[in-house]
Amino acid sequence: MAAEAAAVSPEEARYRFIPFRRADLFDMLVAEDALSTQDREVFLGAARAVQAHFREDFNDLKQSLKNAYAPLDPDADTRFLHSREEAGLST
């Protein structure tokens, strides 16, 4: 079943990749004359909000991973509030 989900036709694969950097894509969209000045500002505000959401979501995930790894890090230079035994880890 996993192989079926992973199988993608070349036609479908073609639509999964945008060959432009995000900043360039925004610049191209804003440069088009299809939007009024007010609509352009609304678009840029919405784009910034979407970027901020994904940045915050990624940062939360990154911090969770760092916190999960911290007690296991043999090269940690930081101090822990709880000992490894209290955290359920053996030394």
Side-chain angles (χ1 to χ4, degrees):
M1 211 183 266
E4 290 176 21
V8 176
S9 72
E11 183 68 21
E12 288 176 320
R14 188 178 105 159
Y15 294 107
R16 292 184 179 213
F17 174 71
I18 300 173
F20 299 103
R21 294 178 329 117
R22 179 178 42 218
D24 293 338
L25 186 60
F26 289 150
D27 290 344
M28 288 186 299
L29 291 169
V30 168
E32 289 190 15
D33 292 333
L35 296 175
S36 68
T37 303
Q38 183 179 5
D39 288 342
R40 190 173 294 132
E41 292 302 318
V42 170
F43 169 75
L44 289 173
R48 282 188 218 101
V50 169
Q51 284 180 311
H53 170 77
F54 281 103
R55 186 180 308 118
E56 184 178 333
D57 194 41
F58 175 76
N59 188 50
D60 289 346
L61 175 62
K62 183 175 74 169
Q63 290 303 318
S64 295
L65 292 171
K66 285 176 141 183
N67 290 336
Y69 179 67
L72 307 173
D73 187 359
D75 300 321
D77 294 329
T78 55
R79 296 181 184 179
F80 292 100
L81 294 177
H82 305 285
S83 70
R84 293 175 65 85
E85 290 79 22
E86 289 174 330
L89 303 170
S90 61
T91 54

